[in-house]
Amino acid sequence: MTNVKTAPYGSWKSPITSDLIVQAVIGLDGLAWDGDDLYWLESRPREAGRNVLMRRCADGTEEELIPAPYNVRTRVHEYGGGAWTVSDGIVYFSNFADNRLYIRDRDGTIRPLTDDSRLRYADGIVDKRRGWWIGVREDHTQSDIFAETTLVAVSLTGGPDRVLVSGNDFYSNPRLNPAGDRLAWLTWNHPNMPWDGTELWVADVTADGRLENAHRVAGGPGESVLQPVWSPDGVLYFVSDRSNWWNLYRLAEDGAVEAVHPLDAEFAGPPWVFGLSDYTFIDAHTIVCKYAQRGRDHLARIDLATGRLYPLPGEDTWFAHVRSNGRQMAYLAASPTTLRHLVVAGPDGSGRQVVKSAADVPVDARYFSRPVEVEFPTEGGKTAFAHYYPPTNPDFQAPDGEKPPLLVHVHGGPTSASPAVLSLTTQYWTSRGFAVVDVNYGGSTGYGREYRDRLKGQWGVVDVDDAVNAALYLVQRGLADGERLCIAGGSAGGYTTLAALTFRDVFKAGASHFGLSELEVFVHETHKFESRYMDSLLGPYPEAQSVYYNRSPIHFTDRLSCPIIFFQGLDDKIVPPNQAELMVEALRKKGLPVAYVAFPGEGHGFRKAENIKRSLDGEFYFYSRVFGFTPADDLEPVAIENL
């Protein structure tokens, strides 16, 4: 402790730099086994966010399968996911640049399977018996916002797509049983989102591929059914929130729905993307699954004969993409001290081996701030949840009596959640002397449907109240400086940020990353998947037009009294650039300090390394000017008007 320097919060020198973050970290996503070979997807900021499919062979060797310029990514629902599948060493994938399906043969040859770039594909499986790729097709031939979604079969030898199921607004999760003679899928219609209500259907598949005897087996407008999976012995399992919690169920021979292991916990999360897998079969008698309780994930094994659940030991607090080939299991995991990593283990969790990490970070763990779970009172006598990260740097301490600035982080979605795991972006702030709180406001997932439904009709109210009350709770406990409270978020979190800055007088600065400011514009200009989302969040349009108006920050800029910085991708189809530009112009005219950083070629969320770096450093620089501290780093300035 003799070398500890005394310096104001915000001015601490940190080894966790933006360069380290963008150079070191890769994205890990989507796993699949093909025999004893393991496949996964890597997103590389240094390659402009290109998604690369990797394979780890049984002997431990790794190879990149899809070279540049191919980008394994789909734009179905705009958020994508489920862009590839593999069968017998042959890979089938969507290429982001032209939306076409491609085949990578065993010898590495890549050839197109579809021709029309107006047709997008996702969530596919391979029907080897009939020589088909079966999956979701989104047809943009006539319109973007009214794109037609169907389940189709694409011949692996060429020819036109064959529509298998149509008529509803959305489809996902087509899954064949082991015998190949029954197909299950999910479907839903506007205005529902998949976490509001979906239907699980099953049909017989004839030898020539026709579907017969299609019927609904679970779900409805008020029940969210997710992730149907056939067991090795042909029993259909799925996740449903019929008990308030997303629990595991199975379909009995007589059509009855049976709970596998009832628990006040979430065994799945909201399907913003395709291709999720939160449970897997080791064999016909054993499931390995993840489940979430009180903001933390757990990994467990379920004995299907007894229904008993056995938690697997370990320090990880987040899990995703749980897969098995019967001999091994693989999954993605993270903890408060480790970034996302790919794990392979025995079917009982033994022999755990980390085979890939998002980064090898050369930083002493003493610089990492550990999350503290916080429950705090909010409006209506209710309780909300958050993860609080105190300022942490072994080289520095603050002057006596000084309290840290607090960054309130608002996750997107808004039906999402912030996990209590290591984020170098969060540590960027805490190691420089900021406190950070990730707010899982009412509407977040992981706390049951009742908590999730708090946001119904109350977006811009409940989320804002919870963000404000989280900050005030920490101020009251002496953990934050009430005069240096800032708030930031992306997408829906950007909207909550702008609403909090407009309709409340608590925060002194904020940052909107591709956030909404005018809700009616979003209704008319967004994509199909979310085009009716606001029916539940705000009310049907135009009947609830006054609600849209009254909760749009752009109409009430006269109430703003603090600086804001905006970051926006100019190719964003989900939150168009005019959402930021309208707000910037209003602040400019009012004479409030404002900065606007636009990124050509970026969509919804930033993928290019230089833009990730610019947005992180730019936000920190902005607060340094607003709160009057001197950063230890030599940061590229941001042009701030009216300062």
Side-chain angles (χ1 to χ4, degrees):
M1 294 295 291
T2 56
N3 295 323
V4 175
K5 304 179 183 68
T6 299
Y9 289 117
S11 65
W12 298 353
K13 182 70 174 177
S14 170
I16 305 171
T17 64
S18 59
D19 283 324
L20 173 71
I21 292 172
V22 299
Q23 289 172 4
V25 178
I26 59 172
L28 296 175
D29 208 351
L31 310 181
W33 289 99
D34 185 43
D36 289 329
D37 293 341
L38 179 63
Y39 295 72
W40 70 90
L41 205 62
E42 291 185 6
S43 177
R44 298 175 178 173
R46 282 298 177 187
E47 296 185 44
R50 186 172 76 93
N51 288 339
V52 180
L53 189 64
M54 302 292 295
R55 176 170 64 192
R56 181 179 187 264
C57 298
D59 62 5
T61 59
E62 292 181 12
E63 59 181 323
E64 178 181 317
L65 295 182
I66 311 296
Y70 294 107
N71 185 357
V72 184
R73 184 179 166 197
T74 178
R75 287 187 60 187
V76 178
H77 291 181
E78 294 298 336
Y79 295 103
W84 62 277
T85 190
V86 58
S87 178
D88 295 334
I90 302 174
V91 174
Y92 308 82
F93 70 95
S94 170
N95 182 44
F96 184 67
D98 58 14
N99 297 315
R100 297 165 70 186
L101 276 178
Y102 287 79
I103 293 180
R104 181 200 184 274
D105 290 315
R106 296 183 187 91
D107 63 2
T109 303
I110 295 176
R111 53 188 172 88
L113 186 60
T114 62
D115 298 322
D116 194 337
S117 63
R118 296 171 298 177
L119 303 177
R120 305 174 183 179
Y121 300 86
D123 208 14
I125 58 172
V126 176
D127 180 0
K128 290 187 286 188
R129 175 191 295 186
R130 301 168 186 85
W132 284 351
W133 176 98
I134 298 175
V136 177
R137 187 184 73 181
E138 195 175 73
D139 186 344
H140 290 251
T141 304
Q142 302 299 322
S143 168
D144 284 331
I145 197 168
F146 297 111
E148 182 186 15
T149 306
T150 54
L151 290 183
V152 300
V154 180
S155 172
L156 302 184
T157 57
D161 295 351
R162 180 173 177 177
V163 176
L164 299 178
V165 187
S166 63
N168 286 348
D169 291 323
F170 300 99
Y171 296 93
S172 73
N173 297 82
R175 301 295 182 258
L176 279 170
N177 69 343
D181 58 4
R182 301 185 76 197
L183 182 73
W185 68 90
L186 295 176
T187 184
W188 67 99
N189 286 304
H190 284 314
N192 270 348
M193 299 298 283
W195 42 87
D196 295 323
T198 58
E199 295 178 353
L200 175 60
W201 283 67
V202 175
D204 298 326
V205 188
T206 65
D208 62 356
R210 290 179 294 107
L211 300 188
E212 295 182 342
N213 190 32
H215 60 288
R216 180 176 63 86
V217 297
E223 178 185 358
S224 173
V225 175
L226 307 175
Q227 297 186 30
V229 178
W230 296 93
S231 69
D233 56 349
V235 178
L236 183 59
Y237 285 70
F238 57 92
V239 175
S240 167
D241 68 355
R242 59 177 57 193
S243 70
N244 180 57
W245 300 91
W246 271 317
N247 275 198
L248 279 165
Y249 295 85
R250 64 183 159 222
L251 191 67
E253 288 187 11
D254 62 359
V257 173
E258 301 173 345
V260 174
H261 181 84
L263 190 67
D264 288 353
E266 306 275 46
F267 284 78
W272 278 100
V273 296
F274 295 98
L276 301 177
S277 175
D278 291 320
Y279 69 100
T280 188
F281 287 90
I282 300 296
D283 52 42
H285 311 291
T286 311
I287 281 177
V288 170
C289 60
K290 70 156 234 189
Y291 65 94
Q293 283 184 316
R294 301 178 64 84
R296 172 176 175 159
D297 284 356
H298 306 266
L299 195 66
R301 178 173 56 86
I302 298 178
D303 182 335
L304 295 175
T306 64
R308 293 189 62 182
L309 180 145
Y310 302 90
L312 300 179
E315 300 299 319
D316 293 318
T317 55
W318 174 89
F319 300 93
H321 296 287
V322 184
R323 302 281 190 177
S324 173
N325 63 358
R327 294 173 294 280
Q328 293 177 294
M329 65 175 176
Y331 53 86
L332 297 179
S335 79
T337 57
T338 57
L339 295 172
R340 185 177 296 196
H341 46 280
L342 170 57
V343 175
V344 172
D348 59 355
S350 61
R352 181 183 183 277
Q353 178 187 7
V354 176
V355 301
K356 192 79 173 185
S357 294
D360 181 16
V361 183
V363 175
D364 191 315
R366 293 180 302 155
Y367 290 93
F368 295 156
S369 178
R370 309 296 176 90
V372 178
E373 184 182 359
V374 175
E375 295 185 23
F376 57 93
T378 190
E379 305 306 307
K382 293 180 168 57
T383 297
F385 304 91
H387 300 298
Y388 166 71
Y389 296 82
T392 304
N393 188 316
D395 302 327
F396 290 91
Q397 63 184 6
D400 289 343
E402 184 182 1
K403 293 188 171 49
L406 174 70
L407 175 61
V408 174
H409 178 258
V410 186
H411 66 70
T415 308
S416 185
S418 292
V421 298
L422 179 63
S423 161
L424 290 184
T425 300
T426 297
Q427 304 301 324
Y428 174 99
W429 295 94
T430 56
S431 61
R432 284 166 173 75
F434 269 66
V436 174
V437 62
D438 282 336
V439 183
N440 284 326
Y441 50 83
S444 302
T445 47
Y447 303 91
R449 178 158 189 150
E450 182 180 345
Y451 191 80
R452 192 166 78 242
D453 283 350
R454 282 189 192 179
L455 212 58
K456 290 289 183 72
Q458 296 298 310
W459 193 32
V461 178
V462 166
D463 50 325
V464 171
D465 285 338
D466 290 356
V468 167
N469 286 325
L472 295 178
Y473 177 84
L474 295 172
V475 170
Q476 290 164 3
R477 275 148 186 76
L479 299 174
D481 182 351
E483 297 303 313
R484 292 189 292 175
L485 301 177
C486 49
I487 183 171
S491 189
Y495 164 70
T496 301
T497 293
L498 294 174
L501 294 168
T502 303
F503 302 120
R504 304 290 190 275
D505 188 21
V506 172
F507 297 103
K508 309 304 179 183
S512 170
H513 298 253
F514 41 93
L516 290 151
S517 63
E518 212 282 17
L519 299 176
E520 289 182 76
V521 172
F522 185 76
V523 170
H524 299 301
E525 296 188 7
T526 192
H527 58 120
K528 178 186 177 183
F529 181 58
E530 291 185 274
S531 61
R532 298 288 301 280
Y533 190 12
M534 291 205 209
D535 282 32
S536 64
L537 295 175
L538 299 170
Y541 188 90
E543 294 86 341
Q545 185 175 13
S546 62
V547 176
Y548 287 70
Y549 183 92
N550 289 328
R551 295 195 197 159
S552 294
I554 188 65
H555 302 309
F556 302 94
T557 54
D558 59 305
R559 302 186 188 182
L560 287 168
S561 59
C562 68
I564 308 175
I565 186 170
F566 296 80
F567 300 92
Q568 178 68 43
L570 295 182
D571 290 349
D572 194 336
K573 304 300 182 185
I574 296 171
V575 179
N578 66 350
Q579 289 281 290
E581 292 161 2
L582 288 168
M583 199 73 174
V584 169
E585 182 59 27
L587 288 161
R588 183 181 289 133
K589 289 181 178 179
K590 192 177 181 186
L592 283 170
V594 61
Y596 180 48
V597 183
F599 298 124
E602 289 281 24
H604 196 66
F606 309 140
R607 294 173 177 268
K608 298 178 182 178
E610 62 270 23
N611 297 336
I612 297 171
K613 170 182 170 62
R614 179 63 169 153
S615 61
L616 185 55
D617 286 341
E619 186 177 343
F620 191 80
Y621 174 85
F622 184 76
Y623 296 147
S624 75
R625 295 294 307 279
V626 171
F627 293 145
F629 62 83
T630 302
D633 305 287
D634 184 16
L635 302 176
E636 181 183 353
V638 171
I640 306 174
E641 300 180 52
N642 301 326
L643 185 64

